[in-house]
Amino acid sequence: MRDPRVNELARLLVTHSMKVKPGENVLIDLFGEKEELARALIAEVYRAGGFPFYQVNRDALLRAQLLETTEEHMELLARFDYERMKAMDCYVAIRGRENINELADVPSDRMKIYAERYNHRVHEERVNNTRWVVLRYPNPSMAQLAGTSTEGFEDFFFNVCNVDYGRMGKGMKPLVERMEKTDRVHIKGPGTDLTFSIKGLPAIPCAGENNIPDGEVFTAPVRDSVNGVLTYNTATVYQGTKFDHIHLEFKDGKIVKATSNETEKLNKILDTDEGARYIGEFSLGLNPHIQHPMLDTLFDEKINGSFHFTPGKAYEECNNGNKSAIHWDIVNIQRSDYGGGEIYFDGELIRKDGLFVVPDLEPLNPENL
């Protein structure tokens, strides 16, 4: 018998996140081997009157494919998958990878071809023209990253995924209003003294529509306005490599110096194209149940008391003009147990040590969600 929490999650994805309507095409994109959520989603899509489609991905096969790929090969693959994506009204990705480092030894020039010739084209279409949602799915590998038992991680997963997104969305409205009135942002913390403008750019609340788990409000900096230094205090895995102690220096929007435990690989990624050295997203993490990083972006970027500052492409709904094949959400946690920090909007302190300190934003503190 299927875990009833799986059915509840499938229903949330179909009715709340994608809002599937009769006659719509829904692509279920499964990464990994655990199929129970995909089966539940097929049933829920039918129940909503839609037509489910599915595809199954294996990272070990993707690695074998990328090791000898060419631009012509990736363009051909992208052409096929682009046409399929165009026919979809909704898209859901279930990412339950068994080994997050499976692509670590794929040469950087092949990863660049994959990012530019395939991912950028196919998933640009998904982002701009379908209702989409992306989520992880629990497995022993993820439990190991989180430092828990598999059963303990499953309990954590369903807890953070099935929060009251309606309540969260209401609490986000004052933050959206403040961000859309703000010009200058100043972020301070250990190894960090960063200033930039968000004037004229929209703030987007995320309460379960595109990511599960969810809980963030994002905008983007004015492209050339970022100055100062930023030291991230969480590790991140990107293109199969683990990066830690990332330190970035900015001048007039551009990353002019970047170091980490993998400085050479870091700079190769940032040299993918011109836009990779500029910032496409600034976001505040708000999920009350996510406390610590686990090397998984969809969880880590929602950590309460955190922010992420993203090299690469801006989202269409908050477009600061930055284009890139890269979009790399890297997280800094400002709670006191991670060293603390402050965020100012136009000179006013709005968050200190991960907690909002102005009355209209206090409903977003963890104890109120």
Side-chain angles (χ1 to χ4, degrees):
M1 180 180 293
R2 186 184 297 143
D3 187 331
R5 298 175 300 181
V6 174
N7 295 332
E8 181 183 353
L9 179 57
R11 196 168 302 115
L12 173 73
L13 293 167
V14 169
T15 62
H16 175 78
S17 301
M18 294 183 289
K19 299 177 175 63
V20 176
K21 300 178 181 64
E24 290 189 324
N25 297 328
V26 181
L27 178 57
I28 300 164
D29 201 2
L30 176 62
F31 297 78
E33 299 180 357
K34 300 188 74 172
E35 299 178 353
E36 57 265 31
L37 180 58
R39 293 199 303 269
L41 278 166
I42 289 171
E44 285 295 331
V45 169
Y46 276 133
R47 189 170 289 113
F51 299 108
F53 298 77
Y54 74 90
Q55 60 188 25
V56 179
N57 304 274
R58 297 284 187 268
D59 278 347
L61 296 177
L62 176 61
R63 174 185 174 276
Q65 185 181 50
L66 293 180
L67 284 173
E68 301 294 335
T69 196
T70 63
E71 291 188 4
E72 180 182 15
H73 177 212
M74 280 297 107
E75 286 176 353
L76 185 62
L77 184 63
R79 190 173 79 195
F80 296 149
D81 288 355
Y82 176 82
E83 290 302 319
R84 187 183 202 189
M85 190 70 78
K86 280 175 61 177
M88 297 297 137
D89 301 288
C90 303
Y91 169 90
V92 52
I94 308 167
R95 297 177 178 170
R97 291 183 163 99
E98 300 298 322
N99 179 5
I100 62 171
N101 300 115
E102 192 66 56
L103 306 181
D105 58 354
V106 176
S108 59
D109 60 332
R110 302 297 201 279
M111 290 303 303
K112 181 177 179 179
I113 291 171
Y114 179 60
E116 291 181 340
R117 304 294 177 175
Y118 181 85
N119 255 357
H120 183 65
R121 184 179 186 196
V122 174
H123 289 284
E124 188 78 18
E125 182 69 25
R126 180 258 298 176
V127 169
N128 294 336
N129 296 290
T130 68
R131 299 192 301 281
W132 59 272
V133 60
V134 175
L135 72 155
R136 299 293 189 259
Y137 197 72
N139 60 26
S141 176
M142 293 180 68
Q144 189 173 39
L145 288 172
T148 70
S149 66
T150 302
E151 184 176 347
F153 184 78
E154 288 176 353
D155 291 339
F156 162 78
F157 172 83
F158 287 111
N159 191 32
V160 301
C161 288
N162 292 324
V163 300
D164 187 343
Y165 288 117
R167 182 178 183 181
M168 181 184 286
K170 290 178 183 177
M172 288 174 172
K173 290 180 181 178
L175 178 57
V176 169
E177 292 171 2
R178 273 186 175 265
M179 292 174 77
E180 292 185 339
K181 292 177 183 176
T182 295
D183 178 2
R184 303 299 301 179
V185 177
H186 187 186
I187 302 178
K188 299 174 68 176
T192 297
D193 192 348
L194 193 69
T195 61
F196 53 94
S197 173
I198 56 174
K199 185 176 182 179
L201 288 154
I204 311 298
C206 300
E209 286 82 13
N210 295 134
N211 286 170
I212 297 290
D214 214 348
E216 64 173 299
V217 176
F218 76 88
T219 184
V222 174
R223 188 176 186 267
D224 300 326
S225 71
V226 185
N227 284 285
V229 296
L230 171 56
T231 302
Y232 297 97
N233 61 6
T234 69
T236 173
V237 173
Y238 198 73
Q239 294 184 354
T241 296
K242 180 181 176 181
F243 296 86
D244 207 349
H245 307 295
I246 295 177
H247 178 81
L248 305 180
E249 298 182 13
F250 295 85
K251 182 173 175 56
D252 298 331
K254 186 177 182 179
I255 299 169
V256 295
K257 184 176 180 181
T259 60
S260 75
N261 64 316
E262 295 276 3
T263 295
E264 184 178 354
K265 281 190 175 182
L266 171 64
N267 281 278
K268 281 184 179 179
I269 292 171
L270 295 176
D271 288 335
T272 296
D273 49 40
E274 180 189 3
R277 283 191 178 266
Y278 289 82
I279 298 298
E281 180 186 357
F282 162 59
S283 184
L284 298 177
L286 303 167
N287 192 299
H289 300 301
I290 307 179
Q291 301 288 330
H292 306 292
M294 52 171 286
L295 295 179
D296 190 301
T297 299
L298 278 183
F299 286 81
D300 294 355
E301 68 179 359
K302 315 303 189 318
I303 293 171
N304 73 78
S306 75
F307 71 89
H308 53 276
F309 208 60
T310 305
K313 176 175 66 83
Y315 286 122
E316 189 67 28
E317 60 264 52
C318 184
N319 193 351
N320 68 352
N322 199 44
K323 298 181 189 232
S324 177
I326 298 302
H327 183 91
W328 189 358
D329 295 315
I330 316 175
V331 176
N332 184 289
I333 304 172
Q334 291 193 303
R335 299 197 314 267
S336 57
D337 53 328
Y338 280 85
E342 301 169 350
I343 296 180
Y344 297 83
F345 287 175
D346 289 330
E348 180 184 9
L349 178 65
I350 63 107
R351 198 174 76 173
K352 180 177 175 60
D353 296 342
L355 293 174
F356 292 104
V357 295
V358 288
D360 59 315
L361 301 184
E362 288 177 355
L364 289 174
N365 286 332
E367 65 272 16
N368 298 319
L369 288 175

